[in-house]
Amino acid sequence: MVVESDARARRDTQRTTELIAAAETKLLALEHRVRSGRLKDPAKIGRAAQRILGTGRVGRLFDLEIGQGRFLYHYNEQAQAYEKLLAGRYVLTTSLTPAQADTAEVVACYRQLQTVETRFRVLKDFLRLRPVRHWTEKRVRGHVAVCVYAALAETLITQALTTADIRDPDLEHQHLTAARALRQLHRVRRVELTTNNHQITLTTRRTPLQTRALAAISVDTRTWDKATIT
């Protein structure tokens, strides 16, 4: 079955646009090198172009003209139209018969699988489940338990940000993720100053995004803007 997802289409389109822009910047630099006479050999020009386009999936989106001291690139409009057609569409195959599961049930199961895979990815990467630098079973179990609790907290933060409809400032169609929210909040600092035998403690000002994220996860900041002097 072929599945179409609006969210995935936006993600795919944005990613392709970013890849094309990055490749074009490098192709323009290569074109400048050739025009300035610093690169003339067609074989060397071809290898330079291959290094730019051969490492990503955007190579098929460009057509190249290479000759002695000559290099031009063009958009392959047919390939780009095909890439646009594929954006947000993917194919699911299953051994289940239509009597065992209809299309909606198969897609729902696939999305549940994606959620599980995302949870494991968060555990391994964001929460750094591995490497496990413990040698006793008790400590290993404790380490894994803490990571699972952290994953639960991350999920609750994500739900709170989604419920509050806080959007990523760089991706208007995507809600702010817990990972980015925590990176933003990590910049908030509690500062201690000592002057004239007094210690002043205060919290740095928050950006509008930080303020909304803190409100979404129900953090009481009413006393944060009041300096404490002892």
Side-chain angles (χ1 to χ4, degrees):
M1 62 195 68
V2 178
V3 183
E4 182 177 6
S5 166
D6 291 339
R8 187 162 180 164
R10 289 191 293 267
R11 185 196 66 187
D12 292 347
T13 300
Q14 179 174 357
R15 180 58 178 161
T16 300
T17 301
E18 292 172 351
L19 291 173
I20 290 175
E24 189 169 14
T25 298
K26 295 178 182 179
L27 290 173
L28 283 171
L30 176 58
E31 189 177 83
H32 179 71
R33 288 173 59 195
V34 175
R35 286 184 177 179
S36 64
R38 288 180 290 163
L39 193 60
K40 298 181 179 180
D41 184 7
K44 292 183 178 179
I45 296 173
R47 287 195 294 270
Q50 179 64 25
R51 285 194 295 270
I52 296 172
L53 299 178
T55 57
R57 68 181 191 182
V58 296
R60 63 181 180 276
L61 304 180
F62 292 93
D63 290 327
L64 306 179
E65 296 182 24
I66 299 174
Q68 181 67 33
R70 181 170 179 269
F71 174 75
L72 294 172
Y73 72 90
H74 312 280
Y75 291 129
N76 185 323
E77 295 183 0
Q78 184 176 0
Q80 292 203 15
Y82 184 67
E83 189 76 13
K84 185 177 180 180
L85 179 66
L86 292 181
R89 294 180 171 91
Y90 54 97
V91 177
L92 293 179
T93 61
T94 178
S95 59
L96 298 175
T97 65
Q100 293 173 313
D102 59 21
T103 300
E105 290 173 331
V106 172
V107 173
C109 289
Y110 175 72
R111 288 179 175 173
Q112 288 178 349
L113 175 62
Q114 285 185 310
T115 301
V116 172
E117 290 175 343
T118 300
R119 292 295 98 215
F120 276 108
R121 186 161 55 250
V122 168
L123 281 172
K124 290 188 293 183
D125 299 334
F126 181 46
L127 301 178
R128 299 177 184 176
L129 175 63
R130 292 183 180 275
V132 180
R133 295 188 174 89
H134 299 288
W135 300 100
T136 66
E137 180 180 353
K138 182 178 180 180
R139 286 182 175 271
V140 171
R141 287 180 177 274
H143 172 75
V144 173
V146 169
C147 288
V148 171
Y149 292 146
L152 175 60
E154 187 264 348
T155 300
L156 293 174
I157 291 173
T158 297
Q159 291 178 347
L161 295 171
T162 302
T163 301
D165 195 27
I166 301 178
R167 304 281 174 167
D168 190 306
D170 299 324
L171 303 170
E172 60 177 315
H173 298 296
Q174 178 176 306
H175 286 103
L176 189 69
T177 64
R180 179 159 190 184
L182 292 174
R183 286 197 300 271
Q184 290 289 327
L185 296 178
H186 186 66
R187 299 175 182 176
V188 180
R189 292 288 185 270
R190 190 71 169 168
V191 182
E192 293 184 354
L193 304 174
T194 301
T195 178
N196 295 331
N197 297 323
H198 291 288
Q199 187 175 56
I200 303 174
T201 304
L202 51 85
T203 305
T204 56
R205 292 183 181 275
R206 275 84 63 205
T207 65
L209 183 60
Q210 291 169 340
T211 300
R212 292 189 65 200
L214 288 167
I217 59 178
S218 302
V219 175
D220 187 356
T221 62
R222 288 177 294 180
T223 62
W224 287 22
D225 294 324
K226 298 179 181 180
T228 301
I229 302 176
T230 57

